[in-house]
Amino acid sequence: MRLAVQRVPHFVGALILAISAGCASSGDPLPSWNEGVAKTALIDFVAAVTDEGGEDYVEPSERVAVFDNDGTLWVEYPMYTQFLFAMDRVKALAPEHPEWKTKQPFQGVLEGDLEAVAASGMKGLMEVIIETHSGMTAEEFEAEVSNWLATERHSRFDRPYTELVYQPQLELLTYLRSNGFKTFIVSGGGLAFMRPMTERVYGIPPEQVVGSSIVTEFELKDGQPALVRTPKLAFVNDKAGKPVGIYDYIGRRPILAFGNSDSDMQMVEYTIAGEGRRVGLFVHHTDADREYAYDRESHVGTLDKALDQAQARGWIIVDMDRDWGTVFPAR
Amino acid sequence: MRLAVQRVPHFVGALILAISAGCASSGDPLPSWNEGVAKTALIDFVAAVTDEGGEDYVEPSERVAVFDNDGTLWVEYPMYTQFLFAMDRVKALAPEHPEWKTKQPFQGVLEGDLEAVAASGMKGLMEVIIETHSGMTAEEFEAEVSNWLATERHSRFDRPYTELVYQPQLELLTYLRSNGFKTFIVSGGGLAFMRPMTERVYGIPPEQVVGSSIVTEFELKDGQPALVRTPKLAFVNDKAGKPVGIYDYIGRRPILAFGNSDSDMQMVEYTIAGEGRRVGLFVHHTDADREYAYDRESHVGTLDKALDQAQARGWIIVDMDRDWGTVFPAR
């Protein structure tokens, strides 16, 4: 008996060693991705660009991967998170803005008349964003955003928005970084709205976030130097603005681009057009049970032309229902 | 004899080990910096913010250090390198621009009449920069810059501009990075002029370069997606623009800022005003023998108000002649 007892630990130890070795050499880096075209394409791509002897090898410094945010890394349905934040800000700031009571789309927001809000079009929506995102210092705005993200919850899933990120994408970001990639967000969303959470949630530091911005001014406030956010648009990092944002902020053409809507087409097109091996992907929201199903006719994240052109252009459509074994991280 | 011969290698080996251990634990990370206030301040600062138990500890993610480029990391005298490049571009492009023969400051550049160029003021200089930096794709411009930097040499030192970088600063950049800092350039110079060389020369990748920019547009050129540089100013990353550039591109307040002119005052002021331990430094060009001596009255890198205010504000003036044992890297 004593002999047997002494031997069990050795046997267990050897087994653990064998399992660990197996994980390190052949473990699945993307466990939430189902086997299929998309997963195979990603793993083959990473293997090819990191194979030092291979013809597709890419130096680590050039391994730039860009991801859209809304609908690609986190939920954007039924409404972009930043716009929900802006609507809450309208309500909070209303006492200081009596004129909003009779001015669309602010009136619509205050009265819960979302049709009136929608009727104001993109111009109206931008006005709501700009008015509610300016008139304070950079630090004050960051505190507002952090506080809102910490307390508000998604209407359907009853979880904070920062938990409604896609588990397969978290795995992909980690997988890319462990293979020498730098991962960037390239989103139409506001820089200052995203940055308070990207490092904690995605492991992407603020300086690797590219987004839309308003004009900020440096001034002395109560004798202290401060950055004050003004109600003036500086840059819209959307559609044809995305490759421009990539050039201005990153300064290198990516080799992997991941989006989910027609607004990401130019980013993917620009990425793919570079020399050497490249890959472009789109999330297709096909999963009404676990998340949402929307595409061509959707009011957010419209995916129409990109669906039509994907096959001819070699873009990969990631079908959420088919390709993702898990959607959200476990609670 | 045989015994002695056998013993020598052991003795030598032990000696090498002892020396290596000494280097690792107490070697000088800044050998080109002379002992003095500046060097002590830098080493004390890095020790304090990396001491996990200490009251000045800063998380690695917040260890952001920003450096001006012209006159702080490389030579800017007798003229900013980017403007020399622009003047060479005026000469190269002149056949396509017959109107330049009678239009200042282009005429002055073509005729070598630098007084006429200077008389056109900052507006004229900006016009020369913008006209010579636009009208081509991003890739074409990058190739022009790389080619120029590879072939042109500084009039006095007869070395490529990329070798006229300051050895003490190269050591400081390496020292900071080896202590978990991220190092950034925050320069009035153009993003697209700096990025082709910063990674190779300073170890600073393109996405960690903040600078001035012109408007770039995404378009199809011969059926290929291309970024085309237009003759329209987008952002001037100078003076009060520097803290704004830091906010837009980096998204975090630095804890160390290093400049050399009054144009860097706002960047240093903004850095120092944050909570916790911070440090701000200015290179003072005091070394006519090894480099140049200029400050209050200079046409480049004017250092005047910052010299007056340094002591009261706790900024450190780095006296090139006194504080730097070496100026340029060995040939």
Side-chain angles (χ1 to χ4, degrees), chain A residues 128-173:
Chain A
V128 171
I129 298 269
I130 289 172
E131 285 294 320
T132 56
H133 286 52
S134 61
M136 74 293 279
T137 68
E139 268 92 356
E140 286 163 358
F141 185 70
E142 184 178 338
E144 288 286 349
V145 172
S146 296
N147 181 51
W148 189 88
L149 285 173
T151 52
E152 294 300 316
R153 288 168 169 260
H154 190 277
S155 56
R156 172 175 163 195
F157 299 107
D158 192 30
R159 296 178 72 173
Y161 295 97
T162 50
E163 290 182 13
L164 296 174
V165 295
Y166 304 130
Q167 177 64 26
Q169 301 290 56
L170 297 181
E171 292 167 8
L172 178 56
L173 290 170

Side-chain angles (χ1 to χ4, degrees), chain A residues 26-41:
Chain A
S26 65
D28 185 351
L30 301 175
S32 298
W33 288 73
N34 293 328
E35 299 305 322
V37 171
K39 179 171 183 169
T40 301

